[in-house]
Amino acid sequence: MTDLLNEQWAQDLAVRVETLRRLKDIACAGADPGPSAAAVDAFLDRADAAVRKQNRRGRPLLDHWRGLSVTTAFENVHAAEVFLVDLMTEEQIRVLLPSVMARARAVLDADDPRLHDIRKLTEDDLFCRTHFQQAMRAGFTAEDQIFARVRTFRNLVVKCTGLLIVMVGVMVALVTTHPESMPLCFAPGGGLTMACPHGDHTLPTAEDILIVVGLGLLGSAAAAAFAIRGLHGIPTPYDIPVALAVFKLPLGAFTAVTGLLLLGGDFVPGFSALDSQRQILAYALTFGYAQQLVSRLIDNRARAIVSRLPVAVAGHADRP
């Protein structure tokens, strides 16, 4: 039995490691284990150590960022599976052939020469164990590369999110102390009383920027919930949907403020004079949601990357 781990991918892989150990024991029953069995044990030991490299609260933050535990665990499990083929009978290997080909088709490009060699496994009457192992390595290597790109993309989104949070935070801090430096009010009648996010005033107030930013966050939160609906089931330990959702929040606050500034600067003819506080609040909420026009490009990129991830394939360790 495996211990209860803090992350689903770790729990799933711990079970997979234990399963491979039992398969190795069955394959070696009544026979000389040989060097391949020792190699399988060594790789599984490293994978198990990587899986359990976490404390009560989970993996360290640096490990989450660099993905060392995930990469080490899966690469060693993949290597163990390849060496386990040496201990299997030809009949057992032929049973695994469809899953190996399915994985290769999922992760390799259509014009990849390795995919052509893998297809030949079903065409050759004379089965070659070495070619089968090479097909497994090709699929596993391509899969590891895809997950490395997923991690790099996630880290890039996190960096951009952090930069946006700093920019919005500095902007809010400056405007709350000097409200007149970035007025978010409108004077449609040309009088002294202006329609502001905080109400009707003669001068901008510090609360104006806070209200607009808050409505921008609400609008972007609604857009995030709508936009990531197609990514919620993607099996990856790198939390792509969470990173995308968090990225939209400061972006929505930023677009809400800049959108009102553009309206106040007559940048959009016919929409420069907002008559009431409610209109201003409605536009701030709309501009917060409208950040989706920008962030959907990132959403599309995320979908393009994760669409290459292999689905569950029988007979192999899958990424959670």
Side-chain angles (χ1 to χ4, degrees), residues 16 81 96 99-101 103 132 136 140 313-318:
R16 184 58 187 170
E81 291 201 55
L96 295 178
S99 60
V100 171
M101 295 194 64
R103 179 179 296 277
F132 181 83
M136 292 182 69
F140 286 144
V313 179
H316 290 282
D318 291 274

Side-chain angles (χ1 to χ4, degrees), residues 9-259:
W9 74 268
Q11 183 67 28
D12 293 343
L13 194 58
V15 173
R16 184 58 187 170
V17 168
E18 196 66 22
T19 301
L20 290 175
R21 290 191 191 278
R22 298 297 172 259
L23 290 175
K24 188 268 299 182
D25 292 341
I26 293 172
C28 295
D32 183 13
S36 293
V40 171
D41 283 332
F43 284 122
L44 292 180
D45 288 342
R46 295 186 193 124
D48 190 61
V51 166
R52 302 178 187 281
K53 186 182 178 182
Q54 50 186 315
N55 51 40
R56 291 184 178 180
R57 298 182 180 180
R59 289 180 290 148
L61 183 60
L62 183 61
D63 189 75
H64 272 282
W65 180 260
R66 300 174 65 185
L68 291 179
S69 293
V70 177
T71 301
T72 301
F74 278 100
E75 287 184 352
N76 278 280
V77 166
H78 291 165
E81 291 201 55
V82 173
F83 276 91
L84 188 60
V85 172
D86 290 330
L87 307 176
M88 294 180 177
T89 64
E90 182 175 324
E91 182 180 358
Q92 290 173 325
I93 296 174
R94 287 188 180 276
V95 171
L96 295 178
L97 183 57
S99 60
V100 171
M101 295 194 64
R103 179 179 296 277
R105 293 192 186 100
V107 298
L108 295 177
D109 295 329
D111 57 349
D112 194 309
R114 294 175 296 179
L115 189 58
H116 175 72
D117 293 337
I118 292 171
R119 292 194 186 102
K120 292 176 64 177
L121 287 173
T122 59
E123 301 172 359
D124 296 338
D125 295 331
L126 182 61
F127 183 80
C128 181
R129 188 182 300 263
T130 302
H131 287 172
F132 181 83
Q133 289 177 307
Q134 183 58 34
M136 292 182 69
R137 290 191 186 97
F140 286 144
T141 299
E143 179 186 342
D144 291 335
Q145 291 172 349
I146 292 173
F147 272 87
R149 289 197 293 270
V150 171
R151 184 180 67 251
T152 300
F153 177 82
R154 188 278 312 269
N155 291 351
L156 180 60
V157 172
V158 171
K159 290 178 181 178
C160 293
T161 301
L163 180 61
L164 273 174
I165 291 175
V166 171
M167 292 174 59
V168 172
V170 170
M171 177 183 66
V172 171
L174 291 176
V175 177
T176 51
T177 54
H178 303 86
E180 68 283 355
S181 63
M182 187 182 291
L184 298 172
C185 302
F186 296 82
L192 296 178
T193 301
M194 298 182 296
C196 301
H198 189 234
D200 294 338
H201 300 280
T202 57
L203 292 174
T205 63
E207 290 81 2
D208 292 337
I209 185 69
L210 297 177
I211 293 173
V212 172
V213 167
L215 289 173
L217 290 174
L218 288 177
S220 59
F226 179 79
I228 66 175
R229 68 191 188 283
L231 289 174
H232 70 279
I234 295 301
T236 167
Y238 296 122
D239 299 328
I240 288 291
V242 175
L244 291 174
V246 175
F247 170 75
K248 294 174 188 294
L249 298 180
L251 182 60
F254 183 79
T255 55
V257 174
T258 55

Side-chain angles (χ1 to χ4, degrees), residues 278-300:
R278 291 189 176 183
Q279 277 189 329
I280 297 174
L281 299 182
Y283 270 95
L285 185 65
T286 302
F287 282 130
Y289 187 92
Q291 56 78 33
Q292 185 63 22
L293 297 175
V294 177
S295 61
R296 69 176 181 179
L297 300 176
I298 301 177
D299 294 337
N300 293 337

